[in-house]
Amino acid sequence: MTAVIIEDEIPGAKRLEKLLIEKDFTVLVVLTSVVSALRWFEENNHPDLVFMDIKLRDGNCFRILDSIQIKSKIVFTTAYDEFALKAFNYNAIDYLLKPIDESKLDKMISKYDAFKTGFANASNWRFLEENIENKFKTSFLVSSGNHLKKIESDEVICFFSDANASFILTNQSRQFTINNSLDNLEQQLAPESFFRINRKFLVNKKYISALKNDTQMILQIPDAKEFNFVVSRLRIRTFLEWYKK
């Protein structure tokens, strides 16, 4: 199998190259910037796998993926986990945090083998789904008096912003301040469960009891009657596609 490494930290790139060679990969090239990567993929046949760091010296790797269609399977390698959701929007097959754990690299290779065989059985599908699912946040720590309280994501009715702050509303009708923006939360939460209906609200599908469609699309959430959940007009079509799944 062939691979290309896109990484601007030379020690990390050399370690990954060594690991891949030990696992019978042929590493075609190590690229250290967005510009050099764009040039290489325009001029060469694409490998089986691309190991791609997200933050490079001249920008992030999404500039590469937005500029050229890479035919390879993508594996993101990074020290930052906040890009997980965005990474999977680019059809990545895995997201490895640095320093790369060799056992996780082995699992990724097994997953790639499953891709090659077209996911011939249901267990391969479950393996992929479980791996992706683990990338999203499932709980949050918030301040409650003099204590820290853990809130599971399935207890959250919605996240909302007000007066330049962000809050959690739970199914116990309690509100807590959270030190995170809705933009970041949108990237960190499982997309099948949470949807950003407008600039102010990120809602949990579990608590939507009905939709009211008059001149606006309004969500009926019995446990949060004090809020007016109106879907932005620009997001209604996408919201309906998400809601019916």
Side-chain angles (χ1 to χ4, degrees), residues 75-78 80-88 92-98 101 104-105 107-108 111 127-140 184-192:
V75 179
F76 290 98
T77 59
T78 180
Y80 305 92
D81 64 0
E82 68 266 28
F83 293 103
L85 179 57
K86 186 171 183 179
F88 281 105
I93 65 168
D94 215 330
Y95 188 100
L96 301 177
L97 289 176
K98 297 190 291 186
D101 184 300
K104 292 183 178 179
L105 179 61
K107 287 182 181 179
M108 183 284 305
K111 185 190 299 184
F127 176 80
L128 176 63
E129 289 168 353
E130 289 167 4
N131 189 278
I132 292 176
E133 197 172 280
N134 289 337
K135 303 299 180 183
F136 301 117
K137 286 184 74 67
T138 58
S139 64
F140 299 85
N184 286 337
L185 289 166
E186 189 176 8
Q187 301 296 317
Q188 295 169 2
L189 292 160
E192 68 273 12

Side-chain angles (χ1 to χ4, degrees), residues 59 88 106 115 207 230 234:
F88 281 105
D106 289 335
F115 267 100
Y207 296 98
V230 179
L234 294 176

Side-chain angles (χ1 to χ4, degrees), residues 9-91:
E9 296 178 0
I10 301 305
K14 287 184 176 178
R15 178 177 179 272
L16 177 56
E17 182 178 22
K18 180 175 181 293
L19 286 172
L20 291 174
I21 290 172
E22 290 173 353
K23 298 176 190 305
D24 296 324
F25 277 82
T26 299
V27 178
L28 301 178
V29 66
V30 176
L31 304 165
T32 59
S33 67
V34 171
V35 171
S36 62
L38 286 172
R39 185 183 306 117
W40 191 91
F41 280 100
E42 287 173 350
E43 297 174 353
N44 295 275
N45 293 327
H46 296 189
D48 297 311
L49 282 167
V50 176
F51 292 83
M52 184 178 291
D53 188 14
I54 288 181
K55 291 188 176 180
L56 301 169
R57 64 182 64 176
D58 57 346
N60 70 54
C61 70
F62 300 119
R63 283 178 52 201
I64 303 169
L65 298 171
D66 288 337
S67 300
I68 192 168
Q69 183 177 359
I70 295 180
K71 299 175 183 177
S72 319
K73 298 296 185 221
I74 307 294
V75 179
F76 290 98
T77 59
T78 180
Y80 305 92
D81 64 0
E82 68 266 28
F83 293 103
L85 179 57
K86 186 171 183 179
F88 281 105
N89 287 338
Y90 285 89
N91 296 321

